[in-house]
Structure formats: structure tokens, C-alpha cells
Amino acid sequence: MKFLIAALLAIFAYGLNADIDPDSHGPVGVMGDHYHKAGEIMLSYRFMLMSMRDNLNGKKIISPETIVTSIPNTFSSLPMMPAKLRVTPTKMNMQMHMLGMMYAPNDRVTVMGMVNQITNKMSHITFAGPAGATMLGNFETKTSGFGDINLSGLFKIHETAQSRWHINAGLSIPTGSIDKKGSILTPMNTSPLVRLPYPMQLGSGTFDLIMGLTNARKWETWGWGSQWMSVMRLNKNTEDYSLGNQHKFNTWLSYQLSDRLSASTRVELIHQSDIKGRDQMIIAPVQTADPDRQGGQRLNIAVGLNAVLPDKRLRMAIEILAPSFQKLNGPQLSTDWSITLGTQFIP
């Protein structure tokens, strides 16, 4: 992290030769929203913090006590496995550092690459024995490391003074770990070291196709746009499963408050499918180990601010997001809020 900050400061000290308007790009939470002119390079850094808490079964909040007394354990047919779930997560925090670069070899194509570093923390309650609602204790699991690498191309379709369209197409390369381990507290009051459930892993383990379509418009001090983006898994990974496909639609509106500051609002709809297949090493009486409890739909609302320095050489942005609707294949932890900070610059 210290190296990254030093690198950003060094690039900024070197100087920029292109002006950036506060609303020339989409909100900081939208990826691949704009392309560049021939020969232009843009470097970016984003930090995202997301908080999850409260378990949803469909659209309804369900308590840990209700989960362990009413929700079947998908592994109940295996030896020594209880009929109902016995461990339930209570909250999860995820931190992600994202470093990206965009380069336009010509006026119609911009190539983009992104690497990220992820830290996941999840808190749990374990209930004693094979049945009942007697709490045994609490424990936390943590994983950290690099995630998958994304390589994409942005292909310009049409551009006027007030509107631009482009296609997003790329590939996610499976560089993130899918075999992270941690100590857990079992209902029998033991603490084995096991492979952690799917939400705690750092990558998909598969090559994933990224496809999308983006439109952005500008009229005087107003800007707006929309983007469809899908991630489709091309194969099963080495552990014989694939994460579910994800389809995402964003639409946003921005208003330029001054020549250095703009405000934005965004609506995001996400459809996430369940996992296909199963990792034979992930076996536990907890919902996060169940491949059929990973999908759902979310509708998020976000607000943001975008600013440039007085000489318009560096753009900085912040966006805060919260869900307005969630329907999850539960029980499953719901999103509580997220915040994204970012900076973009053209050396």
C-alpha cells in the first residue's frame, strides 16, 4: 500500500497534460464507462469498503436462532452432519484496492486492465450440538490477497457532441485464490483448519467472459448514462464448480455544480445466479457452504461527488451506496452499505 501511494504521488508530481472535467466520466462505482482519444493513457485507483449484515431469506430478515432451528443442512446425508444448519454468519466486511490502466491505440478502441487486492472478514455464531438454539460461541474468519485480473476492450460505436456509445468486451483471468483456509468453531466445540466457504474465497477460479454496452450523454451542465454489463463463466474451475453468472444494469444522472465539482446519483440492478457444481472440500453446516444459497437480486441507490483540482489535472470522486431492495436465495447476508473512493489521472 505504501508503494502504491508513493507511485501515485510520483506520477502526480511529474505532471499531467490533459484537462479533466468533474463529470467527464461516470460515477466512480461504474467501470468501463468511457473511452479515450488515440495515444491517451489513464491510470486509476479505487478503494471500496462494503458492509454486510442481517440474514435475508427471500425478502425477509431471519434471525440466527430461526436459521438453526428451521433451515435444512444441505449436507445432512453425510456422516456426523446435523439435519439443520448450526453455524450462521452475522456480518461481513470487504475491502478492495483496485488499480487500473486504460490506453487508446486509436480513436475507436481503448484497452483496459485492472488488478485488485481483497480483504474479507466474516463473523459467525456457532450453536451447540446437533439441534436447538443454545449458543456455543463466536468466531471470525479472514482472507486476504490478490483477486482475479480483468482485461477488457472498449469499442466505440457512435459519437456526437452530446452522446457516445461503446461496447465493453473482456476476460477475467483466474488469478485469485479459491483454496483459502481458516479455523472455525464447530458445534462439537472443536476448532479445525478447513477450506473456507465460497464468499471468503478471492477469485472465481474460471475464465469469465465480460460483455456490456454503455451509453453516456451530456447537455449543458447535465450528464446521464446507462450501462448493461454481464459476467459469464466459461467453464468449471479445478474444484469442479463455477460461480453464478452476473448481470448488472446501471443508470446515472450528474449535475455540474461548478467547473471543478459535480454531483451524481445512480441506480444499480444486479441479478446473481447460484453456484453450479460444488467444491468437495467445502462441507459445513453453514449457509455460505451451500452452492444454492449464493444468488439473488439487488436494487441499489448511490450518490456521489466528483471534483478536480484547480488546474483540472486530477479527478477525485466518492460514492456512497445502499440497497433499496434485496431478494436473496437465503438465508444469506444482505448488503448494508458500501463506499467507494477513487482518483483518475492522465500522465
Side-chain angles (χ1 to χ4, degrees):
M1 186 61 190
K2 291 181 179 179
F3 172 79
L4 176 60
I5 294 173
L8 296 183
L9 291 175
I11 293 172
F12 177 66
Y14 174 77
L16 310 175
N17 58 17
D19 287 348
I20 302 175
D21 291 324
D23 65 343
S24 57
H25 304 163
V28 70
V30 180
M31 306 294 179
D33 61 286
H34 68 280
Y35 47 80
H36 287 269
K37 298 177 181 178
E40 200 169 73
I41 297 174
M42 190 188 82
L43 303 178
S44 66
Y45 167 72
R46 290 175 174 88
F47 170 74
M48 185 185 75
L49 176 62
M50 182 174 68
S51 173
M52 305 178 74
R53 63 181 64 243
D54 291 331
N55 285 282
L56 292 186
N57 194 14
K59 295 182 287 184
K60 296 182 178 180
I61 294 177
I62 182 170
S63 68
E65 291 79 8
T66 303
I67 290 174
V68 298
T69 56
S70 65
I71 302 298
N73 175 18
T74 191
F75 305 109
S76 60
S77 61
L78 300 178
M80 305 298 293
M81 277 288 168
K84 301 289 195 299
L85 298 180
R86 304 303 299 152
V87 179
T88 179
T90 57
K91 64 180 180 179
M92 178 177 179
N93 290 326
M94 182 184 74
Q95 295 182 14
M96 182 181 294
H97 301 272
M98 295 166 278
L99 188 62
M101 184 177 75
M102 302 179 77
Y103 169 68
N106 56 60
D107 285 333
R108 300 200 64 86
V109 178
T110 297
V111 293
M112 178 175 70
M114 180 168 290
V115 297
N116 56 74
Q117 194 275 341
I118 304 169
T119 299
N120 295 321
K121 293 181 181 180
M122 185 179 287
S123 299
H124 307 75
I125 299 175
T126 299
F127 291 80
T134 301
M135 292 187 187
L136 176 63
N138 300 278
F139 70 95
E140 181 182 84
T141 56
K142 177 181 177 180
T143 55
S144 184
F146 286 101
D148 294 340
I149 293 175
N150 290 338
L151 300 175
S152 300
L154 285 64
F155 304 91
K156 182 167 68 174
I157 302 174
H158 179 70
E159 182 178 18
T160 66
Q162 295 181 334
S163 175
R164 63 181 188 268
W165 290 84
H166 69 267
I167 292 173
N168 304 71
L171 192 68
S172 176
I173 300 173
T175 52
S177 173
I178 59 171
D179 60 1
K180 288 288 188 178
K181 295 181 178 181
S183 295
I184 65 171
L185 177 63
T186 73
M188 299 298 111
N189 201 22
T190 60
S191 299
L193 183 68
V194 302
R195 181 172 295 177
L196 295 174
Y198 306 102
M200 296 300 293
Q201 300 302 330
L202 304 178
S204 68
T206 58
F207 287 92
D208 305 327
L209 181 66
I210 303 169
M211 291 294 298
L213 179 66
T214 304
N215 172 239
R217 294 175 179 267
K218 178 76 174 175
W219 183 72
E220 295 185 350
T221 56
W222 292 93
W224 63 96
S226 58
Q227 182 188 76
W228 151 69
M229 193 76 75
S230 292
V231 179
M232 292 165 283
R233 319 298 173 179
L234 297 181
N235 60 326
K236 287 188 176 181
N237 58 34
T238 55
E239 303 304 326
D240 201 31
Y241 74 89
S242 63
L243 298 180
N245 294 336
Q246 183 186 84
H247 305 285
K248 185 184 297 185
F249 179 78
N250 274 288
T251 184
W252 64 87
L253 176 69
S254 66
Y255 179 74
Q256 191 163 336
L257 302 169
S258 70
D259 63 344
R260 289 188 286 158
L261 184 67
S262 71
S264 65
T265 183
R266 176 168 66 96
V267 178
E268 177 183 60
L269 177 63
I270 301 175
H271 175 83
Q272 177 71 50
S273 299
D274 286 323
I275 291 172
K276 294 182 179 179
R278 183 169 73 84
D279 185 338
Q280 299 297 318
M281 297 297 292
I282 299 178
I283 302 174
V286 60
Q287 66 210 42
T288 50
D290 189 343
D292 295 327
R293 302 188 189 278
Q294 310 296 326
Q297 296 82 42
R298 292 179 170 91
L299 181 66
N300 300 318
I301 307 295
V303 294
L305 285 175
N306 314 283
V308 293
L309 296 186
D311 55 6
K312 293 190 175 183
R313 297 164 59 190
L314 179 69
R315 181 178 186 257
M316 304 181 72
I318 181 173
E319 188 177 54
I320 299 171
L321 177 147
S324 64
F325 172 83
Q326 297 181 83
K327 183 180 180 182
L328 306 181
N329 302 343
Q332 191 180 149
L333 282 176
S334 62
T335 301
D336 191 21
W337 55 265
S338 72
I339 183 170
T340 302
L341 304 171
T343 182
Q344 299 165 320
F345 44 91
I346 303 174

